[in-house]
Amino acid sequence: MVLTREAVSPRAILVPIGSEVVSGNVVDTNSAYLSRELTQLGFEVIQHLAVKDEAFLIREVLEEALGKADLTITTGGLGPTFDDITKEVLTGISGQPLIFNPAQFRHIQDYFRKRKRRLHKNTRRQAYFPRGSRIFPNRFGVAAGIGLEKEGKWLIALPGVPHEMEGLFKTEIAPFLGSHFGKFKTVAVINAKIIGLSEVEAVERMGARFPPADENIQCGIYPSPGEATLRLTFRTSDRKKAGSLVRFWSKTLRSKLGDYLISLTGESLEEVVGKLLAGRRQTVALAESMTGGLVAKRLTDILGSSRYVRGGDVVYCDQIKNSVLGIDKKTLSRYSAVSPQIAGLMAQSSRAKFSSDWALSVTGNAGPGSQGGQPVGTVFLGLSGKNTRLVKKCFFAGTRERIRWLASQAALNMLRLALLNG
Amino acid sequence: MVLTREAVSPRAILVPIGSEVVSGNVVDTNSAYLSRELTQLGFEVIQHLAVKDEAFLIREVLEEALGKADLTITTGGLGPTFDDITKEVLTGISGQPLIFNPAQFRHIQDYFRKRKRRLHKNTRRQAYFPRGSRIFPNRFGVAAGIGLEKEGKWLIALPGVPHEMEGLFKTEIAPFLGSHFGKFKTVAVINAKIIGLSEVEAVERMGARFPPADENIQCGIYPSPGEATLRLTFRTSDRKKAGSLVRFWSKTLRSKLGDYLISLTGESLEEVVGKLLAGRRQTVALAESMTGGLVAKRLTDILGSSRYVRGGDVVYCDQIKNSVLGIDKKTLSRYSAVSPQIAGLMAQSSRAKFSSDWALSVTGNAGPGSQGGQPVGTVFLGLSGKNTRLVKKCFFAGTRERIRWLASQAALNMLRLALLNG
């Protein structure tokens, strides 16, 4: 949900090129990356136009984009194989032939030599560029970026491999764009992550004066499973003003959203929980049934998590809950594995076993059928701490993947709240 | 890498609508899903045209799409908030006003009542549709799909929430398209998943006669971290011929790719391992250090995995490897945790502890610094079975996320090969 419109900014259109994108074999993540970066630089991205590897279609799309936008960036189609035709299309648009660039060819030879890979005969094609174009050297691969100016507008072609494209953008393209379009610079962005409120509820909490009626502040709120992101973009070329805007809005978000606010910088729930644990020099252990390792996986996704993750158990059947966590067989059959009692015992037992400050447990039913009388989507969470014994019941609808994800979200948030308030 | 071009088919263009997409706050996965499904139905998807929530831009894009394609599908912009303007644009295109549909309003009321949620005043907007349009009921949410015919071409608007869009596509749109565009039907697709070979190596193994010079067989190969997908699409309206093509190519792929072939139907590595275990009525346990639960998470992503996943341990520090898996402290300090010896002991100990047929272990260094003399990216895998004691050393480059993913891939593949050959 877009909350406010943005000020007039230079407009950009992104053109991912490749049949693998339009056939659905590859999800285009490049455009989302470039959109975020370009927004930070002060551009307004108005379209993504993915197109298959067919020269006349690509040319049509690029000419349309040049008509509408100040900046057009293509990704893909700069490789050595027959379906890489972006450069041929560029020559059509610029009216300039491809000419050989010896410096780029040396770079390509070096690149292959260092990696002890043989140079395919087609690779020489990658050292040709439209005459008069600007070449952006690629330190991360072979395909250099290409810039063409046409009637004051820029068309830039980048390679499609995400890490090459991102590296090239950061090192070469962003500085170039900054020098050309610098006066529109966006100085600051707040990415507020929210848990436990719907989009509408979060906006309601912000009060009637939100979103602010300032065309230089752009607001939007975007849901994803189990959380929402409220994004504020401040467009100003005055660094001081940007700083004070960020401070003011950070304070406002904190006071209005309270514990529903996970972070202001887009930090994930697992990063925030990790920082809280590390800051308190405390540790955590996990006892997971229905999430099958997902909570442990998320916590250990974070660099440095060995400081606070002691370990965990995946206890996927009753027998294992007994043998690994030492939960009494009679208790298990009395309450059934999907019960508040067992969630509580799992957390307590895990905390004792791993000698950790905290232990978090998840037991529930992710399907297919009902289990111990509990319908699909029922989840019990347990949290054990020095002075804490909590059990929470949740219910989630949707697919197995979604139910497991939402259970991991709720479990991590339970620990976050205990750390904040403990 | 596209290997062959496709035959002439009805053309489709996808139009994801929403500023959250073009601003990069949301990655558009809907278009990849729809592209795959439409390809199976016999369409050739030529473009994805993502556009921000601005009526004149959307209209421009839709009119352009209607000019080029036989079928245009929009996703998003059917919700109740002010920036949901797809329907308004449709009225502009069809020249028909929005009219109230009582049956759809009852569906919306029921939907909210069942979920005990209050009906927002804006929700009534979702029961209005352009006069004369075809309504596709949405069992998965509130926003129905809308179909407009214009000069023999179809424009279909679907909601943007992925699980609603997918459900609606499967239940309503695919059958509708089948009945309208049936004669171009693609009868078959092979999605060969490959592990352990690069794109180029896989194509080389297929031999000089591959890809086949038949315009009704489209081939492409697409890499993703730790695997590749070789996709063959057979376009024919003759079901018998399609069957024999699939049998012939399945056999060819099996003989040329051998154990590098994970599946022919796009089944994931964890699904294949799960089926092998279930088929042999065997069970597995995990002992994970650097993957921190990722292998267990992947195996338990699969419905019915409780039949063969006994459980697992996340042993994230030496002390836990000792207390939880019973690995001797002296052995740990002699070899260090990242060593073939410890990988082997972890697997053996896990198998004994969980009384499983197999146990898989992962220990390694995902960063930041070197660990016990082992550089970042070093991974040792252990596999213990009735007659099996294997340890494997791997080295992976890249980010922490990538190293962990590749380690989980290699571990699951080690188990797959043992199951196949054991």
Side-chain angles (χ1 to χ4, degrees):
Chain A
M1 174 163 47
V2 176
L3 299 170
T4 56
R5 301 290 167 188
E6 49 218 311
V8 177
S9 309
R11 295 189 141 196
I13 289 181
L14 304 177
V15 182
I17 293 173
S19 296
E20 63 272 34
V21 173
V22 290
S23 68
N25 285 294
V26 165
V27 173
D28 167 38
T29 55
N30 286 335
S31 296
Y33 171 84
L34 285 173
S35 290
R36 288 191 301 267
E37 294 294 317
L38 289 172
T39 303
Q40 299 245 13
L41 288 171
F43 288 87
E44 181 196 1
V45 182
I46 57 170
Q47 292 190 306
H48 299 173
L49 307 174
V51 59
K52 68 188 301 243
D53 306 307
E54 231 168 74
F56 80 94
L57 276 177
I58 300 174
R59 176 146 181 192
E60 232 177 71
V61 165
L62 290 182
E63 287 185 337
E64 191 199 318
L66 282 166
K68 284 187 194 170
D70 304 288
L71 170 68
T72 300
I73 299 185
T74 69
T75 48
L78 295 180
T81 57
F82 73 90
D83 52 351
D84 291 307
I85 53 177
T86 304
K87 282 201 282 204
E88 282 68 17
V89 175
L90 294 184
T91 64
I93 287 173
S94 68
Q96 298 291 336
L98 292 178
I99 55 173
F100 182 70
N101 184 310
Q104 281 301 314
F105 189 59
R106 278 194 300 277
H107 165 69
I108 296 170
Q109 287 177 310
D110 282 354
Y111 188 91
F112 277 77
R113 195 164 30 234
K114 272 184 197 153
R115 281 160 186 77
K116 299 194 176 77
R117 280 162 51 191
R118 70 189 150 111
L119 207 65
H120 287 267
K121 61 180 189 296
N122 281 335
T123 310
R124 204 181 152 86
R125 273 186 68 195
Q126 297 190 271
Y128 281 80
F129 299 90
R131 187 163 60 198
S133 60
R134 184 175 178 123
I135 297 174
F136 298 101
N138 177 356
R139 281 195 264 143
F140 311 90
V142 163
I146 304 165
L148 286 178
E149 191 176 2
K150 202 173 178 183
E151 294 157 21
K153 295 175 166 193
W154 276 90
L155 171 58
I156 294 177
L158 299 179
V161 178
H163 80 266
E164 287 188 34
M165 188 281 292
E166 292 178 15
L168 189 50
F169 187 86
K170 266 183 209 141
T171 56
E172 299 285 334
I173 309 300
F176 168 78
L177 294 176
S179 68
H180 268 72
F181 297 88
K183 58 185 163 165
F184 302 96
K185 190 165 252 172
T186 294
V187 180
V189 171
I190 291 180
N191 259 317
K193 287 236 178 196
I194 299 164
I195 193 166
L197 294 174
S198 74
E199 279 178 281
V200 174
E201 289 165 341
V203 173
E204 276 176 3
R205 272 195 171 248
M206 290 302 294
R209 289 198 202 153
F210 186 84
D214 176 343
E215 65 160 16
N216 292 307
I217 306 179
Q218 185 200 350
C219 302
I221 185 162
Y222 311 102
S224 53
E227 60 187 49
T229 303
L230 179 64
R231 194 177 161 96
L232 292 170
T233 308
F234 308 103
R235 275 167 214 276
T236 162
S237 50
D238 176 348
R239 287 197 166 273
K240 260 194 168 168
K241 197 187 161 198
S244 74
L245 277 168
V246 168
R247 279 190 299 278
F248 172 78
W249 281 103
S250 298
K251 202 177 145 189
T252 307
L253 286 161
R254 272 195 215 98
S255 82
K256 300 278 185 189
L257 298 175
D259 283 350
Y260 295 111
L261 183 69
I262 307 175
S263 71
L264 288 164
T265 55
E267 272 187 332
S268 66
L269 182 53
E270 49 269 41
E271 282 176 284
V272 170
V273 168
K275 282 197 176 166
L276 288 170
L277 285 166
R280 286 161 177 68
R281 298 180 182 277
Q282 293 184 338
T283 57
V284 68
L286 294 317
E288 302 184 60
S289 177
M290 63 111 70
T291 45
L294 175 57
V295 179
K297 182 258 172 199
R298 289 183 63 182
L299 282 170
T300 60
D301 277 341
I302 308 306
L303 200 66
S305 49
S306 53
R307 280 178 296 163
Y308 49 82
V309 176
R310 293 281 287 176
D313 289 305
V314 176
V315 286
Y316 219 60
C317 60
D318 283 8
Q319 196 188 330
I320 294 301
K321 288 184 183 84
N322 166 252
S323 68
V324 169
L325 284 176
I327 297 175
D328 190 58
K329 280 182 187 168
K330 273 188 202 152
T331 316
L332 269 166
S333 66
R334 182 167 159 208
Y335 296 112
S336 103
V338 182
S339 65
Q341 291 82 1
I342 299 302
L345 289 171
M346 282 167 67
Q348 282 161 47
S349 157
S350 173
R351 182 165 167 260
K353 179 176 161 187
F354 286 94
S355 321
S356 56
D357 298 294
W358 300 94
L360 204 48
S361 69
V362 188
T363 180
N365 181 2
S370 91
Q371 210 181 315
Q374 297 289 0
V376 175
T378 311
V379 179
F380 293 96
L381 307 171
L383 178 65
S384 170
K386 200 180 165 192
N387 305 305
T388 307
R389 268 193 189 199
L390 281 174
V391 172
K392 193 179 167 185
K393 181 179 184 175
C394 309
F395 187 81
F396 303 117
T399 60
R400 178 179 178 85
E401 189 189 348
R402 187 180 154 88
I403 293 171
R404 278 162 47 105
W405 176 261
L406 293 176
S408 77
Q409 263 316 83
L412 290 171
N413 195 43
M414 193 176 181
L415 175 57
R416 182 182 71 95
L417 293 174
L419 284 162
L420 281 177
N421 302 318
Chain B
M1 174 161 50
V2 177
L3 300 170
T4 56
R5 301 290 168 187
E6 51 217 308
V8 176
S9 309
R11 295 189 141 198
I13 289 182
L14 304 178
V15 182
I17 293 173
S19 296
E20 62 274 33
V21 173
V22 290
S23 67
N25 285 295
V26 165
V27 174
D28 168 37
T29 54
N30 286 336
S31 297
Y33 171 84
L34 285 173
S35 291
R36 289 190 300 268
E37 295 293 317
L38 289 172
T39 303
Q40 299 245 14
L41 289 171
F43 289 87
E44 182 197 0
V45 182
I46 57 170
Q47 293 190 305
H48 299 173
L49 307 174
V51 58
K52 67 189 301 245
D53 306 306
E54 232 169 73
F56 80 94
L57 277 177
I58 300 173
R59 177 149 180 189
E60 230 176 72
V61 165
L62 290 183
E63 286 185 338
E64 190 200 319
L66 282 166
K68 285 187 194 169
D70 304 287
L71 170 68
T72 300
I73 298 185
T74 70
T75 48
L78 295 181
T81 57
F82 73 89
D83 52 351
D84 291 306
I85 53 178
T86 304
K87 283 200 281 205
E88 282 68 16
V89 175
L90 294 185
T91 64
I93 287 173
S94 67
Q96 298 292 337
L98 293 178
I99 54 172
F100 182 69
N101 184 310
Q104 281 301 314
F105 190 59
R106 278 193 301 276
H107 165 67
I108 296 170
Q109 287 177 311
D110 281 354
Y111 188 91
F112 276 77
R113 194 164 31 232
K114 272 184 196 154
R115 281 158 186 78
K116 300 193 177 79
R117 278 162 53 191
R118 69 189 153 112
L119 205 67
H120 286 266
K121 61 182 186 298
N122 280 336
T123 308
R124 205 180 151 87
R125 273 186 67 194
Q126 297 190 270
Y128 281 80
F129 299 90
R131 188 163 59 197
S133 60
R134 186 176 175 122
I135 297 174
F136 298 100
N138 177 357
R139 281 194 264 142
F140 312 90
V142 162
I146 304 165
L148 285 179
E149 191 175 2
K150 202 173 179 184
E151 293 157 21
K153 296 175 165 193
W154 276 91
L155 171 58
I156 294 177
L158 299 179
V161 177
H163 80 267
E164 287 187 33
M165 188 282 291
E166 293 179 14
L168 189 50
F169 187 85
K170 266 183 210 141
T171 56
E172 299 285 334
I173 308 301
F176 168 78
L177 295 176
S179 67
H180 268 73
F181 296 88
K183 57 184 165 167
F184 302 95
K185 190 165 254 172
T186 294
V187 180
V189 170
I190 292 181
N191 259 317
K193 287 237 176 195
I194 298 163
I195 192 165
L197 294 175
S198 74
E199 278 178 284
V200 175
E201 289 166 341
V203 173
E204 275 176 4
R205 271 192 172 249
M206 290 300 296
R209 288 197 204 154
F210 186 85
D214 175 343
E215 66 160 17
N216 292 307
I217 306 180
Q218 185 200 349
C219 301
I221 186 163
Y222 310 102
S224 54
E227 60 187 50
T229 302
L230 179 62
R231 194 176 161 98
L232 292 170
T233 308
F234 308 102
R235 274 166 214 275
T236 162
S237 49
D238 176 348
R239 287 196 166 273
K240 261 194 169 169
K241 198 189 159 198
S244 74
L245 277 167
V246 168
R247 279 189 300 277
F248 171 79
W249 281 103
S250 298
K251 203 177 146 188
T252 308
L253 286 161
R254 272 196 214 98
S255 83
K256 300 278 185 189
L257 298 174
D259 282 351
Y260 295 111
L261 183 68
I262 307 175
S263 71
L264 288 164
T265 54
E267 273 188 330
S268 67
L269 182 53
E270 49 270 39
E271 281 175 286
V272 169
V273 168
K275 282 196 176 167
L276 288 169
L277 285 166
R280 286 159 176 69
R281 297 180 183 275
Q282 294 184 338
T283 57
V284 67
L286 295 317
E288 301 184 61
S289 177
M290 63 110 72
T291 44
L294 174 58
V295 180
K297 183 257 172 201
R298 288 183 64 182
L299 282 170
T300 59
D301 277 341
I302 309 306
L303 200 67
S305 50
S306 54
R307 281 178 296 163
Y308 49 83
V309 176
R310 293 280 288 177
D313 288 305
V314 177
V315 286
Y316 219 61
C317 61
D318 283 9
Q319 198 188 331
I320 294 302
K321 288 184 183 82
N322 166 253
S323 67
V324 169
L325 284 176
I327 297 175
D328 190 58
K329 279 182 188 169
K330 273 186 200 153
T331 317
L332 269 166
S333 66
R334 184 168 159 207
Y335 297 111
S336 102
V338 183
S339 66
Q341 291 81 2
I342 300 302
L345 288 171
M346 281 167 68
Q348 283 161 46
S349 156
S350 173
R351 184 166 165 260
K353 180 176 161 189
F354 286 94
S355 321
S356 56
D357 298 295
W358 299 94
L360 203 49
S361 69
V362 188
T363 179
N365 181 3
S370 90
Q371 209 181 317
Q374 298 288 2
V376 176
T378 311
V379 178
F380 293 96
L381 307 172
L383 178 66
S384 171
K386 200 179 166 193
N387 305 305
T388 308
R389 268 193 190 199
L390 282 174
V391 172
K392 193 178 168 185
K393 182 179 182 174
C394 311
F395 187 80
F396 304 117
T399 60
R400 177 178 179 84
E401 188 190 350
R402 186 180 153 88
I403 293 170
R404 278 163 44 105
W405 175 262
L406 294 176
S408 78
Q409 248 342 63
L412 290 171
N413 195 43
M414 192 177 182
L415 176 57
R416 182 183 71 96
L417 293 174
L419 284 162
L420 281 178
N421 302 318

